[in-house]
Amino acid sequence: MHYYYLKLTLSLLLCLSFAPPIWGQEICDNGLDDDRDGLIDLRDPDCDCPEIAPTSLIPNPSFENNNCCPDRRAQMNCAHDWVQASEATTDYLHTCGWMGWPDMPVPTPFPDGEGCVGFRDGFFAVSGIDPNPNWKEYTGACLTSPLRKGVEYRFEFYIGFSFTQFSPAIDVTFFGSPNCNNLPFGNGDDEFGCPTNGPGWKRLASVYVGGSMSWKKVQLTVTPTEDMYAIAIGPSCAELTNRTQNTYYFFDNLVLAERSAFDTPITQTEPTCPENSTLEVLDVPGFLYQWYKNGAALVGETMPQLSQMYGNGTYEVRMEEPGVDCRVSEAFNYVEPDRTHVQPLTICEGEEIRFGPQWLSQSGSYIDTFKTDLGCDSIVRLELVVNVDEPDTQRVKVYPGEAHRVGTIDYYNPGQYSPTLVNQYGCDSTVYVELSFYDLFPPTGFTPNGDGVNDFFTLFGNEDLISIELFQVFNRWGKLVFEGRGWAPNDPTTGWDGFTGGKPAPEGVYVYRSSLLYEDGKTRITSGSFTLIR
């Protein structure tokens, strides 16, 4: 019996020793993994914040509640709480019935649910009907609660586009009225145009948007100057001109609420000094705030504005209206700006430059912090280069009468020179110049007697003489007796053979004139005399 109880006790002890520990509930504002599941604060499902979407002041904002299924155009009466705001009729589309014009199809699926509204901006290209540029279709509703004077509201909605030729970019306009009795407007007049052509309507805001076979989500911000009880939305008041094609668009999910009811974005403050910049969200009285970085709570950061930045990372803020709802902002990816100003500087060898508290005379990268006139930190990285005088040797050839310029000095005669110049940094720059002439060796005469020796007259030089571009020979009376082009120098078998007009030229003194190409790409003209001996 005792053995049985001992065995049972040991079994229980073994089970307990290998059982996982039981930790507490995740606390969502301490930056710790309280329940030891590897997930901290916002990244832990225990801290889910069930966001509540803003309640639209527009009734039936997605056109889902319907009194009937539309079977043709112009049946806004089928959409609960909506009216045919203009005499030019908008169309109610619903998956339970009519889905619009076949040639101007609606992009599917709808952004929200099964219903939407189609509207025109102008009426053109319809057989048997005159064009009507003021045919403007508007959707309207009486609000569940008025837009109050001086309160900022946000209006978010989807606009749909059919094919580009039917749905060019459009200026969507939002109108308001202080009295629901102003709906509908333009009764009996399909050329009435926009709501402001009649009494009681004001233009509140507009947005220009385009697309093709797609839905675009847009938003408007408006602060009314008086209480508004009814709204209308549709095209702008501008009369369309030069149009030959019908235009058609769609609306869905029209959410109108106070700005504070939406996810308020995080913005970066712009203080006098950039290093004091932080993040902030809209300050809503009565709301509680908690800031997070990379999902972990920043303990103590419970105000609409962060007291300081905590380095690079993803920042979020949880906003809670006690007993009502909570929401988490969109993430803000913060990258700390590089406020370092790079200053390149070159000094001469032997000079010093003061940088902050230190004197510098060696090349290198140096960093210090200074104060601007506004008292802000300015981080400066000095990229210092010490310019060392490293003499440059130039070996140059010129033709007699030519000059080689170094700085502002011209050198004409062969020799060695060492001028000291001032370079772009104001430092001494020594140049060693070795100047010489191009060598040319013209014979003083030749004997064109066919013995294979000295039978041609040509010019000789060093390897820097590339070619004889032009060679002319004149007799003592100045008559041209020979001309040759483009032959190689230093070739004793090339040149003037002593014949002119097919006959041997007489003995005597002749003059030559030649254009010579040298290795520097320049041609030089030279001339001289020689004797023809027979």
Side-chain angles (χ1 to χ4, degrees):
M1 182 66 67
H2 293 292
Y3 171 76
Y4 171 76
Y5 284 113
L6 178 60
K7 183 178 180 181
L8 178 61
T9 301
L10 289 172
S11 298
L12 290 172
L13 288 173
L14 286 172
C15 290
L16 289 173
S17 65
F18 288 101
I22 300 175
W23 306 102
Q25 178 79 14
E26 180 74 11
I27 299 172
C28 302
D29 58 2
N30 64 359
L32 301 175
D33 184 10
D34 302 288
D35 56 5
R36 305 294 181 89
D37 62 355
L39 304 173
I40 300 177
D41 295 346
L42 282 187
R43 304 297 179 257
D44 195 307
D46 293 343
C47 297
D48 280 349
C49 184
E51 296 186 31
I52 299 177
T55 301
S56 181
L57 300 178
I58 299 174
N60 194 16
S62 292
F63 310 100
E64 297 307 298
N65 299 328
N66 55 327
N67 305 314
C68 56
C69 286
D71 57 14
R72 61 185 183 279
R73 70 175 191 86
Q75 289 188 313
M76 283 304 300
N77 59 296
C78 283
H80 193 64
D81 291 320
W82 286 92
V83 298
Q84 194 61 262
S86 54
E87 183 67 20
T89 56
T90 49
D91 303 322
Y92 182 42
L93 284 67
H94 199 284
T95 56
C96 70
W98 192 71
M99 284 290 287
W101 304 98
D103 58 336
M104 297 181 289
V106 59
T108 56
F110 299 163
D112 186 33
E114 300 174 332
C116 73
V117 166
F119 68 97
R120 295 178 184 269
D121 184 11
F123 204 83
F124 309 94
V126 178
S127 177
I129 301 178
D130 292 334
N132 183 353
N134 277 316
W135 180 285
K136 293 180 176 290
E137 299 180 354
Y138 296 88
T139 301
C142 191
L143 300 176
T144 59
S145 180
L147 304 180
R148 294 302 182 186
K149 174 183 176 181
V151 177
E152 187 175 21
Y153 293 87
R154 179 182 293 176
F155 184 21
E156 290 186 350
F157 59 91
Y158 285 88
I159 179 169
F161 297 86
S162 188
F163 297 122
T164 303
Q165 65 267 34
F166 301 115
S167 299
I170 182 174
D171 191 12
V172 183
T173 308
F174 180 43
F175 301 89
S177 173
N179 196 321
C180 287
N181 292 334
N182 291 325
L183 277 174
F185 51 84
N187 292 336
D189 183 4
D190 57 17
E191 295 188 10
F192 185 81
C194 75
T196 55
N197 289 332
W201 286 95
K202 287 189 175 181
R203 176 187 172 278
L204 299 180
S206 64
V207 60
Y208 189 75
V209 62
S212 177
M213 286 309 297
S214 62
W215 289 91
K216 295 291 182 70
K217 186 176 183 179
V218 294
Q219 64 175 239
L220 300 169
T221 300
V222 60
T223 303
T225 56
E226 61 179 306
D227 292 351
M228 295 290 176
Y229 285 79
I231 59 97
I233 183 170
S236 69
C237 296
E239 179 180 333
L240 298 181
T241 58
N242 301 322
R243 285 278 178 87
T244 59
Q245 182 64 61
N246 287 319
T247 56
Y248 202 67
Y249 308 88
F250 310 91
F251 281 136
D252 195 12
N253 197 24
L254 286 70
V255 179
L256 175 62
E258 290 188 29
R259 180 183 173 186
S260 60
F262 291 85
D263 284 339
T264 305
I266 295 175
T267 57
Q268 192 166 353
T269 62
E270 297 182 359
T272 302
C273 298
E275 64 267 21
N276 297 329
S277 177
T278 61
L279 303 179
E280 64 180 359
V281 291
L282 186 68
D283 186 0
V284 181
F287 271 44
L288 303 178
Y289 298 85
Q290 176 60 57
W291 286 86
Y292 299 83
K293 177 189 173 186
N294 298 332
L298 297 170
V299 179
E301 294 288 2
T302 58
M303 301 299 290
Q305 185 178 41
L306 268 177
S307 64
Q308 66 180 74
M309 295 307 300
Y310 293 84
N312 297 339
T314 300
Y315 288 79
E316 296 163 284
V317 61
R318 184 178 187 270
M319 298 168 284
E320 180 179 356
E321 186 177 7
V324 180
D325 71 343
C326 77
R327 64 184 69 96
V328 176
S329 71
E330 293 183 0
F332 186 99
N333 294 316
Y334 176 76
V335 177
E336 189 171 353
D338 184 3
R339 294 190 291 270
T340 302
H341 173 67
V342 179
Q343 177 64 53
L345 180 65
T346 300
I347 62 175
C348 302
E349 186 177 14
E351 291 183 345
E352 285 187 321
I353 184 72
R354 184 164 186 170
F355 184 63
Q358 54 186 330
W359 286 92
L360 306 176
S361 60
Q362 300 294 323
S363 296
S365 181
Y366 304 89
I367 295 180
D368 207 339
T369 302
F370 301 86
K371 290 292 184 181
T372 66
D373 293 341
L374 298 175
C376 304
D377 287 343
S378 176
I379 303 172
V380 177
R381 185 173 81 242
L382 178 66
E383 298 292 344
L384 183 64
V385 175
V386 177
N387 183 258
V388 179
D389 184 10
E390 297 178 350
D392 176 30
T393 300
Q394 299 180 359
R395 294 179 175 84
V396 183
K397 289 186 176 183
V398 296
Y399 219 60
E402 294 180 343
H404 175 63
R405 171 162 289 195
V406 180
T408 59
I409 305 173
D410 290 330
Y411 296 97
Y412 291 89
N413 298 314
Q416 294 184 344
Y417 308 91
S418 56
T420 299
L421 308 177
V422 177
N423 63 20
Q424 59 182 319
Y425 306 110
C427 304
D428 288 345
S429 177
T430 303
V431 178
Y432 293 137
V433 179
E434 296 180 4
L435 187 64
S436 60
F437 283 150
Y438 285 115
D439 292 321
L440 184 66
F441 310 108
T444 58
F446 78 121
T447 58
N449 54 16
D451 63 356
V453 178
N454 205 22
D455 285 337
F456 292 86
F457 183 83
T458 187
L459 300 178
F460 297 86
N462 291 327
E463 66 276 2
D464 44 40
L465 177 59
I466 305 303
S467 70
I468 300 173
E469 301 290 286
L470 174 66
F471 189 81
Q472 295 174 320
V473 177
F474 302 87
N475 63 21
R476 68 180 64 185
W477 296 281
K479 180 181 178 181
L480 179 67
V481 297
F482 174 78
E483 181 175 285
R485 294 177 182 272
W487 70 65
N490 305 319
D491 184 358
T493 64
T494 301
W496 184 39
D497 60 1
F499 280 75
T500 179
K503 298 179 180 181
E507 287 187 331
V509 177
Y510 291 83
V511 175
Y512 71 87
R513 186 175 185 273
S514 182
S515 176
L516 307 177
L517 175 65
Y518 283 87
E519 64 180 357
D520 61 358
K522 296 180 180 179
T523 57
R524 274 88 173 180
I525 305 299
T526 187
S527 61
S529 62
F530 63 94
T531 302
L532 188 156
I533 303 172
R534 292 204 179 271

